[in-house]
Structures are given as structure tokens and as C-alpha cells.
Amino acid sequence: MKGTTEVLLNEKKIYKPSDKVLKNAKIKQWRAVQKKAAKDPVRFWDEAANDLDWYSYWGQTFDDSNAPFFKWYVGGKCNIVQNCLDRHMGTPVENKTAIIWESDAGKRRKLTYKQLNQAVCKMANGLKFLKIKRGDRVAIYLQNIPETAIAMLACAKIGAVHSVVYAGFSANALRERIDDQGAKILITSDVGHRRGKVIDMKSLTDKAISGSPSIQNVIVVRQGTGPVTMKMNRDIYYDALVDTQPSICRTEQMDSEDPLFILYTSGTTAKPKGVVHVHGGYMVGLNRTFQWVMDVRPDDVYWCTADPGWITGHSYIVYAPLMAGITTVMFEGVPDFPRPDRIWKIIEKYKVNILYTAPTLIRALMCYGEKWPMKYKMKSLRLLGSVGEPINPEAWRWYHKFVGKNKCPIMDTWWQTETGMFMISPLPSMPLKAGSATLPFPGIKAEVVDKKGNKVPVGKGGYLAIKTPWPAMLRTIFKNPKRYIDTYWKESPGYYHTGDMAHKDKDGYFWIQGRSDDVLSIAGHRIGNAEIESALVSHKSVAEAGVIGKPHPVKGESAKAFVILRRGVKGTDILIKTLKKHIRTKLGPIAVTDEIEFVEKLPKTRSGKIMRRVIKAAELGQDLGDTSALAD
Ligand code: WTA
């Protein structure tokens, strides 16, 4: 990380907004807006809530009487689906395209708001038919297809809690998440498509839920044409379930603080955390940040290339764009198949105005050369976004020049599964610096602090921390309030602890440096070092394992495992292959481990904890730092 920081500190060029961008920006006087919000953040968020529809208004905007279990819009009644769909019905928005979807094979599907609303109502009635009610958990394990959004909205509509599991996770990982939440229903598909290949999703999910104490039914979205093994009285095709259902369904009036979804994310232990988000604060935070940062206009076509299985997909593929009543693009597959121009082609084909993507994707496409984006004018593009990891200045400039053709501002948005919404991000009218997420969003108070919670001087690295609560924040860790307190409210006294390192420059701009804790970011996907270690030691040949992250030119970070084998086991190339495969089976392709090295010993503390920091420093040829805790 040291190398990155040095590069970032030398990044001085300021990109001022063009006259055109300034003229059209929703927020022109950004300093004044920030100043006003900083004076009274609660008032700022109170006003923001008025942009949305409520069944009945809240009494108290913010309640911190049971900190850190904060509440927002206390007593208010709402439903995020009311704002995504219901309120557009009977207005000109209902005939607008809500979702454009392109399949791996390039097939297109469009749904207007009216059609989407009908599909959601039918699905919601289908769930009710299967006896799903308020508060019940529904797991969704699907590729990036419109039914993922339909299923999420259908759950929310009837007050059920959805939990989407990214399709790149293994059967084991899916099972672990289903068990933790006690999901009654699993929504999946027969097959998925990626790079022209067919992935057998149904066999994988059958394996995942075999003997599950909670799953009552499996809803199968038909994506292929081949035979599917369906279990009697448990499995039902999505079409068969929804076809006979009425296309109207009442939206449940939820309390602001009622849970909307659980999304699992990696932490520092092997067990993923079930991050809980609620209807009220989440919808307000999303709507305000999306409207201002992405500067949306009513006729925009917007494309976020994330997968709905991640928070980016939840917040900014599904919920925020639909609340805004604009067109959101979804795509199945990968950016470089069938050719490395897939992204640029889609932008031209659907006249995309806003592109929101990740540095790892930009770097991967940079490897194919600028000749690919240069072939496309992409005239419709007005604004670009980045998320998931620090964007290195080189990738920023490439994105700006060859994709944005030097005219689109780049919104580098820093946020997390836990924050729910953008936290540190430019507004289009602000001057930009390549590689900086710029300033906290109005109403957010971010700081760089040391271990004791003291602010550190300008230019010095420290922990990125948030001073005051915000509406879209997580409410707890599902069934584990203690872990919620310990992870987020103890590490940086007086602050929400983000787990990231950062520094501020003299203009107050934030430069995010990466994680401070033991969480890897491989191609922008969060995965715990401990998760990979735990997968490794579950193999019969492995006694102990220590996993570290190494800088990687495309993926940002890659995982390397140091493994102590059990007595008598030989460390061969075949075993390396077997262990890599084993990790894949346990966790899924997302946890790809590039290197495995067999060692005799691992550096440990006296209490027996593996010191990953020391392994990493040794591997990267860096100073070992403080080794006083080392046992040997
Ligand atoms: C990292 C994704 C630098 C960060 C929305 C954070 C970023 C983690 C940025 C959360 C950014 C996200 N610049 N780093 N613009 N955006 N990160 O929960 O380390 O999948 O803590 O949420 O991604 O990852 P998560």
C-alpha cells in the first residue's frame, strides 16, 4: 500500500468541471450546500426524506437513545417499492423503460415500469401463495437477470426480507448464508450463462439445500432448455407459480425501521456478517445520493455494471434508479466476451448516459488497448462513476480520456455494504483529482483518525472513520448485535469504524488507501483472509494456513496462501491444484487464490495468532515493522 500512497500524493492535477457540466448540474453551489448540511445533518436528512412518498410521516427524524442502534424517521410508514414502482403508475413514467437487459448471447429484453410492476405483483402474490409473510427471509441465488430485481422487489413489497447471494459463491457458501438467516424460500434458476458457457445452477443449489431445516420451497427461473430435476412438493417453476397470479398486489405498509434485506459480507473472521438494512433510511439515503451524485435527468439511461448480488447492485442497479424513474441497464455475462468491446457496444446500442463501473473492469479493459473504446464515439455518455476499490490515477485518466472523451466527470464513490449509500464522493460541479473520492457527501462527517480516535494531520495516513450516523447505515448484524458493536463502534472510539485506511490532502480531499483489516479486495470483491484460511484447513492435507493479499495490476489485489502441511504429506504441484480446487468448492470462484506456497512455519503471536502482517511484509520485501508480539 505504501507504493500506492506515494503515487497518490504526487497526483496534483485538478480537473475543473466544464461550463456545460456546471450549467446543468443539479447542485451548483456545492460548498454552500455542504456547509448548511454540516451545521445540522439531521435537518438535512429530514428534508431529503420529503422527496419520497410516505404512507404516514415520521415523528422523530433521528433517535440515538439506544446508540449504536440508531433509528431514523421513527414512526414513519413507508415501503421502498411504493417509491420504486407504485408512485410511477398512472404517470407518464409507467410507459418508460424501467429495465433493459442484455443476455450473455446478446439477446435483449425490455420491461416498462408498468410491465415491471405487474411482474413484481405476480411474483409477490406467488410468494404469498407459498405462505411467505412479513419478516420471512427469502434467499435469491440468480445471475444478473431481470428476475433478480423482480424477486427483490416482490419480497420488499410484501414485507419479506430478501437476501441475495452472489452467483459466484459455492454451494457451501450459499448453504451457510441460508442457514444463518433461516430462509424459507430459495429463488434460483435452472442454468446460468457466462462467456457462452452454461452453468448448472440447479444441481448446485440442490446440493446447497440438501437437508436444510428451513427451506420449504425452491422457485426455479427457467433460463435453459434442457431437462431439470425438480423435487416434488418442494420445487416449482417461476412461470408456473406466477402465471396464474393476479397482476395487482397491495404493497405492505412497513415501519421505517422494518428490515428490507440482509446482505452477507466478509469480515475478519471466517463467518460472513449478515448486514441488515431497513426500508425508511435506506430509501432516503439512496435517493438523495443518487440524484445528486449521478445528477440524473428524467430520460436518462443509466448502466451500473455490478452484479445485483453485491450492495452496489442492490442500491444502484435496482432501488435508486427505479425510485428516480429512469432506465436501468442490466447485463448477463462478462465485459470481454464475445469481444473486448462489449461495454462500449452496449453504451452505443442503448444510448447510455451514465456509466457506473469498477476500477478492476477498467484495468482489465485497458489491457486490450484503447483501440477498442476509440472505435466508439459513445456520444450519449455524460457522466462516469467508479466504485469498489481505489482507482489508480492511470486508470482514472484512461477512463476519462478514452471512455469519457475528456468531457465526462468521474464520480469516484467510496462506500460499503454497511453504509448502504455513497459516503465520500464528488458532485459533478466539484473539481476532481484523479484517484481521490474527493469529499464526504453533504450531511456526512468523515475523518482520518489514529487508533485512539484522534484526528491525524493533513497528509498522514490513518483510519477512515465516520463521525455521525446517516440514514442508510446498517442497523445491526443479523442475530449478532455484539458483532455489530465490536466491529463498527469499538475500533475508532467515538466513530463508526470503516476498516479502511486513508489520508486527507490540504484541500480536505480523501485518498482511500485500502483496507486496514484482514479483508481482501479481489477484483473489487470483498473476501476475508480468514475465509480462505478456513477453507484450506478444512482439507485433510493442511495443518495451518496464512493468507495475504498482494498488489495485482488488474485485480487490485490477489490472494497468496502459505500452507503448513500435515505430517507426512508431500507438497507437490498436484496438491497445489487440488487445494485451489478445494477453495473453489468451499467458497466459489470469487475466492480464487493465485499462489500457494508450502512452508514449515508461520509467524505467530505468543497467543498463537498468525501474524499476516509479518508474512505480507516478508513476501513484499518490506520492513517487518513491530515484531515484539512475535513468539519465535
Ligand atoms: C472499498 C462496495 C476506494 C473499500 C460499495 C470499502 C473503495 C470496501 C471505494 C467496501 C472507492 C469501495 N475507493 N475504495 N471508491 N469503494 N471501496 O462492501 O475498501 O463490497 O471498505 O461495498 O470497498 O466493499 P463492499
Side-chain angles (χ1 to χ4, degrees):
M1 274 305 138
K2 202 170 161 196
T4 320
T5 317
E6 275 162 12
V7 175
L8 293 180
L9 276 171
N10 291 328
E11 202 51 46
K12 292 217 175 74
K13 183 168 176 193
I14 291 177
Y15 294 76
K16 288 209 178 113
S18 67
D19 291 346
K20 195 171 167 198
V21 168
L22 255 185
K23 192 171 146 242
N24 294 319
K26 256 189 202 134
I27 304 299
K28 295 186 176 64
Q29 307 294 334
W30 58 271
R31 278 182 214 277
V33 171
Q34 274 184 334
K35 218 167 145 189
K36 191 173 162 214
K39 254 193 200 151
D40 192 347
V42 172
R43 179 150 173 218
F44 174 81
W45 291 115
D46 183 79
E47 286 170 4
N50 286 311
D51 291 348
L52 294 170
D53 281 5
W54 295 76
Y55 296 116
S56 59
Y57 287 112
W58 54 99
Q60 196 180 347
T61 308
F62 174 58
D63 176 7
D64 60 355
S65 58
N66 188 25
F69 298 93
F70 302 104
K71 288 182 180 167
W72 287 87
Y73 313 109
V74 183
K77 293 270 183 275
C78 61
N79 189 311
I80 195 166
V81 176
Q82 151 75 14
N83 284 291
C84 290
L85 296 173
D86 304 14
R87 74 162 170 167
H88 301 316
M89 295 306 113
T91 77
V93 179
E94 74 173 13
N95 295 318
K96 263 207 289 195
T97 305
I99 296 177
I100 300 179
W101 175 76
E102 202 181 272
S103 76
D104 191 49
K107 205 175 70 192
R108 186 185 72 181
R109 220 174 116 189
K110 277 187 181 183
L111 286 162
T112 63
Y113 272 87
K114 200 170 178 176
Q115 290 165 332
L116 177 64
N117 185 50
Q118 284 177 354
V120 169
C121 286
K122 278 173 164 275
M123 177 76 177
N125 286 323
L127 290 171
K128 281 191 190 168
F129 172 78
L130 296 175
K131 310 245 167 351
I132 292 300
K133 41 182 203 323
R134 273 172 97 110
D136 284 345
R137 270 87 57 203
V138 174
I140 302 172
Y141 185 73
L142 287 169
Q143 303 276 348
N144 199 346
I145 57 174
E147 281 72 18
T148 314
I150 294 169
M152 288 162 73
L153 292 159
C155 290
K157 188 175 179 78
I158 61 169
V161 179
H162 62 72
S163 183
V164 184
V165 179
Y166 175 59
F169 277 116
S170 67
N172 276 284
L174 173 62
R175 175 59 180 266
E176 190 180 11
R177 285 156 179 79
I178 286 175
D179 284 353
D180 188 71
Q181 64 183 279
K184 285 191 178 164
I185 297 244
L186 171 64
I187 306 174
T188 188
S189 58
D190 51 351
V191 294
H193 297 99
R194 200 179 158 87
R195 268 186 209 288
K197 292 201 194 99
V198 179
I199 304 154
D200 182 355
M201 306 266 292
K202 183 65 171 46
S203 307
L204 198 142
T205 50
D206 280 345
K207 197 171 140 206
I209 58 170
S210 145
S212 155
S214 65
I215 292 289
Q216 295 165 1
N217 292 104
V218 178
I219 302 172
V220 183
V221 181
R222 198 78 161 115
Q223 291 288 288
T225 47
V228 187
T229 318
M230 298 286 277
K231 191 170 169 194
M232 279 264 281
N233 299 327
R234 187 196 72 181
D235 300 354
I236 179 165
Y237 282 120
Y238 167 81
D239 287 341
L241 176 71
V242 302
D243 273 357
T244 51
Q245 298 297 333
S247 54
I248 43 171
C249 173
R250 195 174 57 89
T251 305
E252 279 288 313
Q253 299 197 5
M254 306 302 289
D255 189 277
S256 307
E257 286 292 317
D258 276 337
L260 169 65
F261 64 84
I262 303 169
L263 186 59
Y264 286 85
T265 190
S266 296
T268 51
T269 71
K271 193 174 153 48
K273 303 176 279 198
V275 168
V276 178
H277 281 288
V278 299
H279 276 261
Y282 180 73
M283 72 179 192
V284 176
L286 255 55
N287 190 56
R288 178 48 60 98
T289 50
F290 188 65
Q291 288 284 351
W292 285 16
V293 172
M294 296 300 175
D295 217 14
V296 285
R297 319 240 169 99
D299 291 323
D300 273 342
V301 177
Y302 157 91
W303 184 20
C304 167
T305 65
D307 188 280
W310 304 111
I311 191 67
T312 308
H314 281 57
S315 297
Y316 298 108
I317 292 179
V318 180
Y319 289 117
L322 296 179
M323 279 194 274
I326 61 168
T327 303
T328 179
V329 179
M330 295 175 83
F331 89 122
E332 180 189 50
V334 290
D336 57 353
F337 179 87
R339 293 197 320 174
D341 60 352
R342 179 152 192 225
I343 301 276
W344 325 129
K345 236 181 159 162
I346 292 183
I347 291 172
E348 290 233 319
K349 195 160 155 197
Y350 304 115
K351 302 199 168 41
V352 172
N353 305 109
I354 304 169
L355 175 70
Y356 187 35
T357 190
T360 182
L361 179 141
I362 299 166
R363 287 191 301 261
L365 294 178
M366 273 170 84
C367 295
Y368 292 104
E370 48 266 20
K371 67 170 199 273
W372 293 98
M374 293 271 277
K375 278 192 206 158
Y376 296 87
K377 292 207 175 76
M378 298 186 263
K379 272 195 172 150
S380 54
L381 276 183
R382 192 182 71 234
L383 197 88
L384 302 174
S386 173
V387 61
E389 53 181 314
I391 176 163
N392 48 309
E394 200 194 350
W396 195 101
R397 284 192 292 264
W398 192 89
Y399 193 30
H400 192 252
K401 186 169 175 190
F402 298 112
V403 184
K405 318 289 180 194
N406 290 317
K407 66 176 177 49
C408 304
I410 299 177
M411 303 295 106
D412 177 4
T413 59
W414 177 89
W415 59 295
Q416 308 178 297
T417 303
E418 294 88 339
T419 70
M421 64 180 212
F422 306 150
M423 298 294 281
I424 300 179
S425 164
L427 299 171
S429 55
M430 278 166 54
L432 305 173
K433 300 182 192 184
S436 167
T438 73
L439 299 170
F441 188 80
I444 300 300
K445 293 188 175 172
E447 265 312 331
V448 181
V449 299
D450 64 17
K451 276 202 166 120
K452 292 191 180 126
N454 302 312
K455 288 185 200 175
V456 304
V458 167
K460 200 165 174 274
Y463 300 99
L464 177 64
I466 313 291
K467 186 72 194 165
T468 48
W470 62 100
M473 66 193 298
L474 79 164
R475 294 305 192 262
T476 190
I477 299 293
F478 189 64
K479 286 198 309 201
N480 203 341
K482 184 172 177 298
R483 192 167 177 199
Y484 167 72
I485 299 173
D486 292 348
T487 310
Y488 305 109
W489 302 100
K490 286 217 166 133
E491 298 280 323
S492 301
Y495 290 86
Y496 163 85
H497 179 76
T498 67
D500 277 5
M501 303 292 289
H503 74 264
K504 268 206 290 190
D505 68 15
K506 62 175 185 1
D507 299 322
Y509 276 38
F510 284 76
W511 298 80
I512 317 291
Q513 290 158 241
R515 304 285 305 186
S516 65
D517 54 10
D518 287 322
V519 175
L520 301 162
S521 170
I522 304 174
H525 297 159
R526 258 169 90 167
I527 185 99
N529 302 50
E531 283 175 276
I532 302 182
E533 288 164 4
S534 157
L536 277 166
V537 294
S538 73
H539 191 273
K540 61 179 189 315
S541 308
V542 177
E544 279 185 274
V547 169
I548 59 155
K550 287 172 72 172
H552 186 280
V554 173
K555 295 189 284 187
E557 202 166 28
S558 68
K560 174 165 183 180
F562 292 84
V563 169
I564 303 179
L565 293 172
R566 292 199 179 202
R567 272 239 192 114
V569 179
K570 275 228 168 72
T572 60
D573 285 350
I574 292 178
L575 184 57
I576 290 181
K577 276 198 189 132
T578 309
L579 291 178
K580 284 186 181 175
K581 205 169 149 221
H582 181 72
I583 298 171
R584 206 183 159 94
T585 314
K586 283 277 162 189
L587 295 169
I590 153 178
V592 54
T593 306
D594 284 1
E595 291 173 84
I596 295 182
E597 187 176 324
F598 299 118
V599 291
E600 296 287 320
K601 260 187 182 177
L602 286 166
K604 284 187 188 163
T605 61
R606 282 183 200 93
S607 59
K609 221 176 144 213
I610 293 173
M611 291 184 80
R612 300 187 188 107
R613 180 179 61 74
V614 174
I615 310 179
K616 185 167 176 166
E619 171 72 14
L620 301 179
Q622 293 170 348
D623 178 15
L624 296 189
D626 180 7
T627 50
S628 53
L630 214 56
D632 192 355

